[in-house]
Amino acid sequence: MTPQLSPALDVAALRQAFATRRRLHVPGVLAPDSAESIAAALEAFDGWKVSVSAGGEFFELPLKGRVAAEPGKQGWIDAARVDGAEPRMQYIFDTRRLDLEPEDAQPDAVSAVPDFLNGPEFLAFVRGVTGDDRIDFVDAQATRYRPGQVLTGHDDAAEGKNRLYAYVLNLTRDWRADWGGVLAFEGADGHIEAGFVPAFNALNLFAVPMRHAVTQVASFAPRDRLSITGWLRSHQAV
C-alpha cells in the first residue's frame, strides 16, 4: 500500500510556523492507516545493521535480532563507546538503508516509503511548508535507537551533498521524554534551545545547517526509538 499524507494538513499554517525558527514539529503527518502499517513493519523487521562511528571505531555490522549476526563480532558492538572529549559527531544506532535493500529482500510497508517521499504529493507538501522549490529529491534510511544508543551534536552540513533540510518521520509509539532519544537543538550559547520528543506519526523538519543531536536513549527505556530519517536535497549546488 502506498503511504498517504493526512488530508487534515494545513500547509499555509505550517509554512508560517516553519518560517519563525526554520524548524517544525508536524503531528499527524500521515493518514492513520499509513502510519500504522509502516510502524508495524519497522517493529517486525529483523534485518537491521548496527552503525558505529564512535571512540575512533567505524563499522557497520548486520544483526540477528539484537545481537551480531556474524560469530565473534558481538564484542565489537559491546566495546563501542562514544568519546566524550571528541567534538566531532559520533553515533551508535541501528539502520536499515532503504536505498541499499538487497534485491531478494521481502518487501514490506517500509519498502514503499522512498517512492512516497519522492512522489509528487510529499514533494509538493515539503516545498509548500518550507517555501523552497529547490527541493528535488529525498533520501531515506530507517533508524532504530536502542537503550544506550546516541547521535552526538552536528549540523548536517556536508560538502557536495546539497542538503537543504533534514527530516525525521517518527514512528515510535507512546514515548516519554525521560526515556531520552530527544531531537535536541543547541543554541549559540550551548544551551538546549528546543527539543522534539519522539511522537508517533509526527514529522520533524529543520533547515541545514542547524546544530542538533539525538540524546542517548535511557538504559531503562522499555522500547526502541523508531523513525525514518534523511534529507531534502537539490540536484544543484547549494
Side-chain angles (χ1 to χ4, degrees):
M1 182 178 66
T2 302
Q4 300 291 326
L5 288 173
S6 168
L9 296 170
D10 184 338
V11 174
L14 292 171
R15 180 171 178 167
Q16 185 175 8
F18 181 80
T20 302
R21 295 281 187 178
R22 305 290 289 165
R23 59 177 175 251
L24 188 63
H25 172 83
V26 184
V29 67
L30 298 179
D33 57 348
S34 294
E36 287 290 341
S37 62
I38 297 169
L42 285 175
E43 292 162 349
F45 184 66
D46 193 32
W48 296 96
K49 295 181 179 180
V50 63
S51 187
V52 173
S53 176
E57 298 292 331
F58 306 90
F59 60 84
E60 194 165 284
L61 293 174
L63 300 173
K64 184 64 175 177
R66 305 172 79 84
V67 299
E70 301 177 42
K73 295 295 179 65
Q74 183 59 37
W76 294 21
I77 301 171
D78 294 341
R81 294 288 186 277
V82 168
D83 178 359
E86 171 58 65
R88 291 179 298 179
M89 178 183 69
Q90 299 175 78
Y91 54 80
I92 305 172
F93 61 82
D94 299 339
T95 182
R96 175 180 173 181
R97 300 194 182 279
L98 301 180
D99 57 343
L100 297 173
E101 294 271 67
E103 291 185 3
D104 60 350
Q106 185 68 32
D108 60 10
V110 180
S111 305
V113 170
D115 285 345
F116 161 70
L117 295 175
N118 286 281
E121 182 187 29
F122 187 79
L123 288 176
F125 170 69
V126 291
R127 288 169 183 156
V129 171
T130 61
D132 195 338
D133 289 335
R134 297 176 299 166
I135 298 169
D136 291 320
F137 68 102
V138 183
D139 57 22
Q141 66 172 321
T143 63
R144 180 178 73 173
Y145 284 75
R146 294 180 280 139
Q149 295 184 332
V150 66
L151 171 62
T152 67
H154 62 290
D155 65 8
D156 277 348
E159 187 175 356
K161 295 291 187 179
N162 302 336
R163 295 171 177 170
L164 299 170
Y165 306 92
Y167 74 91
V168 181
L169 176 57
N170 294 281
L171 293 156
T172 305
R173 306 176 196 271
D174 303 318
W175 194 264
R176 287 182 2 195
D178 57 359
W179 295 344
V182 174
L183 177 60
F185 296 95
E186 183 181 326
D189 59 2
H191 289 286
I192 300 300
E193 190 173 72
F196 295 153
V197 175
F200 184 72
N201 191 20
L203 179 72
N204 299 331
L205 182 66
F206 56 96
V208 174
M210 185 176 294
R211 189 163 177 82
H212 63 284
V214 175
T215 64
Q216 189 173 47
V217 175
S219 60
F220 54 83
R223 58 179 61 91
D224 302 323
R225 178 190 188 271
L226 298 171
S227 63
I228 294 173
T229 70
W231 294 273
L232 316 182
R233 297 167 58 187
S234 174
H235 290 309
Q236 307 298 319
V238 299

